[in-house]
Amino acid sequence: MTEAPVLIARGLRAALGGVEILKGIDLQVGRGEVVAILGPSGSGKTTLLRAFNYLTPFTAGEVEVAGYRLRPGMSERADRKILRAVRTRVGMVFQSFPLFPHLTVLQNVMEAPHRVLGLSSAVAQEVALRLLQRVGLAALAAAMPHTLSGGQQQRVAIARALAMEPLVLLLDEPTSALDPRLSAEVLSVIAELARGGQTMVLVTHETAFLREIAHRVLVLDDGRIVESGPPAAVLDRPQSSAARSILGASPRGRARWPRS
């Protein structure tokens, strides 16, 4: 199922406003693995994802992606080559879907491959159209973002992240701002990516969904990983109080998203 790790965190610590958020995270994610992260509000989930590509600098430890190492004290100017190398290999989809409002759907997806990867406009457009087809939005390639539903915008955001051909895709509660119907659209796309072998680290409380797609579930509490294991073990037999608290308030029925 998994090969050599594509993302490694060792002793990761991070602080915001003088308050320590991450308190020594050790994690390896193998190629093709889907790792789901659960945790109460304020446990450090978003900070952890952002630390993986140094959007949030960390104070101790290191992150390694494809042989490139991130360390404390890096500078956007002095270390731009390493930071760019990592960020072109680590895609990220946020809770919101900040598309460029002045660009069409197609232009949003082809922008980074054209300007960052140096693909010709024609090749970048071909890549973008293929990805829009993959997320079910090829028919809306010429649309402007404001005309799309929230679910459609999030699917464009996923296509845009995939356009950089990331080794690992980070998703931070990608359905939290969506109603159940639109949420199902996005979950269907993520499920298809999982079936296709895309390496992913996913923060979500959609427990029925992660039961279907995740290889491993981590529970984060107060900046530490307090539980880790296969979905059935963590979801059905949680050992930590944090996991029991989360799962006690989470639906545990079967998934209800459309299957492709």
Side-chain angles (χ1 to χ4, degrees):
M1 177 179 62
T2 60
E3 301 176 11
V6 297
L7 185 152
I8 304 171
R10 303 182 182 93
L12 208 58
R13 292 179 176 269
L16 295 174
V19 177
E20 191 171 41
I21 306 299
L22 302 180
K23 303 177 181 180
I25 299 293
D26 294 300
L27 177 63
Q28 294 190 4
V29 180
R31 187 177 300 277
E33 188 177 19
V34 178
V35 176
I37 300 177
L38 295 174
S41 178
S43 60
K45 303 183 300 295
T46 295
T47 300
L48 178 59
L49 289 195
R50 290 176 61 87
F52 286 152
N53 57 10
Y54 216 70
L55 290 178
T56 295
F58 43 86
T59 55
E62 67 177 16
V63 170
E64 182 177 340
V65 178
Y68 294 95
R69 294 190 177 185
L70 304 179
R71 63 187 189 282
M74 298 185 81
S75 161
E76 292 288 341
R77 176 174 294 182
D79 301 294
R80 63 184 179 276
K81 289 184 178 180
I82 293 178
L83 291 174
R84 177 171 173 164
V86 169
R87 289 169 182 170
T88 57
R89 290 165 173 81
V90 179
M92 189 158 189
V93 178
F94 298 90
Q95 295 179 35
S96 58
F97 9 89
L99 303 178
F100 298 118
H102 61 292
L103 300 180
T104 66
V105 165
L106 179 64
Q107 290 168 336
N108 262 278
V109 179
M110 62 184 287
E111 181 78 357
H114 177 50
R115 296 189 179 277
V116 178
L117 297 183
L119 300 185
S120 69
S121 180
V123 172
Q125 179 173 310
E126 181 182 345
V127 169
L129 285 171
R130 185 171 68 249
L131 289 170
L132 288 174
Q133 181 69 40
R134 189 174 183 183
V135 300
L137 292 175
L140 296 177
M144 301 303 292
H146 74 273
T147 68
L148 305 181
S149 69
Q152 290 169 335
Q153 290 186 51
Q154 191 65 297
R155 283 188 280 160
V156 174
I158 292 172
R160 186 172 63 177
L162 292 174
M164 295 295 289
E165 298 185 352
L167 287 176
V168 57
L169 183 63
L170 310 177
L171 300 109
D172 185 13
E173 298 198 51
T175 62
S176 64
L178 304 175
D179 66 34
R181 179 180 62 82
L182 298 179
S183 203
E185 295 179 4
V186 176
L187 294 178
S188 180
V189 170
I190 296 171
E192 182 61 32
L193 294 176
R195 287 191 289 269
Q198 174 66 54
T199 308
M200 289 186 279
V201 180
L202 169 70
V203 171
T204 182
H205 288 286
E206 299 277 359
T207 54
F209 175 68
L210 65 85
R211 187 186 294 271
E212 297 283 340
I213 70 155
H215 298 115
R216 187 162 34 125
V217 176
L218 310 179
V219 179
L220 198 65
D221 187 37
D222 192 28
R224 298 181 175 88
I225 296 174
V226 297
E227 195 160 347
S228 175
V234 175
L235 299 179
D236 297 337
R237 299 178 297 279
Q239 301 300 305
S240 64
S241 58
R244 289 194 295 270
S245 175
I246 296 166
L247 296 171
S250 298
R252 298 176 64 183
R254 294 194 59 80
R256 296 182 179 176
W257 62 90
R259 307 298 179 90
S260 59

